[in-house]
Amino acid sequence: QLQLQESGPGLVKPSEALSLTCTVSGGSISSTTYYWGWIRQPPGKGLEWIGSIYYSGSTYYNPSLKSRVTIFVDTSTNQFSLKLSSVSAADTAVYYCASQSSGWAGWFDSWGQGTLVTVSS
Amino acid sequence: QSVLTQPPSVSGAPGQRVTISCTGSSSNIGAGYDVHWYQQLPGTAPKLLIYGNRNRPSGVPDRFSGSKSGTSASLAITGLQAEDEADYYCQSYDSSQREVFGGGTKLTVL
């Protein structure tokens, strides 16, 4: 059973970059079964997919965020990471990492507990 | 505004059956992409409920079922229980090369 855990700063200043890391345990991030995704949820609102990555480094991003998002994978540490640049208050949200089965168009089957990131000066 | 449309809320009494709709378009559900459903209990991460339109992961009660037709999908919950009170989200893929979620539906057990 995969377990995922997000880590990173809970407070980021406007215009700076948000960086989060997801540590995967109970399985290998190099598994051909999964993509690895980031999803966020603003307080009191719905889910928004940010982007996903394969262990090879292949990525696809939400077009609405693509200009500010980078997702990368480190197979040596079984981690994948999110960088979101030029943040504003609209980026305040709980950020989740998740495993994505069956590739693009697949389902998110294991989720981290989520981490709240607040954008404020 | 979400690409997939869900009713903001539904409700039902214990033991009853409720359905939650997820309406898309010809660029997502109607294009043949699968629909997946998640349950989010208050203060917790979403949990996979249905994948591939109608498949239940191990451990999900058979009271939960999914279906898909045309540009829409539905989640049905029978024998409603108090513990089912949660937010429910549908997810699919869009031809604009992105994963998309519905806006979510809050289920209230009366």
Side-chain angles (χ1 to χ4, degrees), chain A residues 41 60 96 100 105-106 108 112, chain B residues 36 38 40 45 48 89 91 99:
Chain A
Q41 185 172 35
Y60 65 119
Y96 296 100
Q100 184 177 7
F108 297 99
Chain B
H36 321 297
Y38 303 87
Q40 186 176 34
L48 179 66
Y89 293 90
Q91 175 227 332
E99 308 294 342

Side-chain angles (χ1 to χ4, degrees), chain B residues 9-10 27 29 47:
Chain B
S9 63
V10 297
S27 67
I29 298 175
K47 168 192 168 185

Side-chain angles (χ1 to χ4, degrees), chain B residues 56-95:
Chain B
R56 285 187 310 275
S58 173
V60 173
D62 59 7
R63 301 187 297 105
F64 295 90
S65 63
S67 63
K68 172 188 160 183
S69 178
T71 58
S72 295
S74 289
L75 173 70
I77 310 172
T78 58
L80 205 57
Q81 300 180 4
E83 67 203 51
D84 299 333
E85 191 159 287
D87 293 326
Y88 293 83
Y89 293 90
C90 59
Q91 175 227 332
S92 186
Y93 181 81
D94 190 86
S95 299

Side-chain angles (χ1 to χ4, degrees), chain A residues 24-111:
Chain A
V24 178
S25 58
S28 173
I29 204 167
S30 299
S31 168
T32 56
T33 302
Y34 300 108
Y35 268 68
W36 306 94
W38 287 97
I39 301 104
R40 69 180 183 179
Q41 185 172 35
K45 297 187 177 181
L47 302 170
E48 180 181 33
W49 172 74
I50 300 170
S52 297
I53 190 166
Y54 195 51
Y55 79 94
S56 64
S58 175
T59 55
Y60 65 119
Y61 299 134
N62 189 325
S64 68
L65 298 169
K66 188 173 183 178
S67 63
R68 298 193 293 129
V69 172
T70 303
I71 298 177
F72 50 97
V73 64
D74 186 342
T75 57
S76 67
T77 59
N78 232 33
Q79 296 175 326
F80 64 106
S81 299
L82 167 70
K83 181 178 178 182
L84 181 65
S85 64
S86 304
V87 299
S88 69
D91 295 309
T92 293
V94 175
Y95 286 75
Y96 296 100
C97 60
S99 59
Q100 184 177 7
S101 283
S102 197
W104 56 269
W107 55 95
F108 297 99
D109 44 10
S110 294
W111 295 65

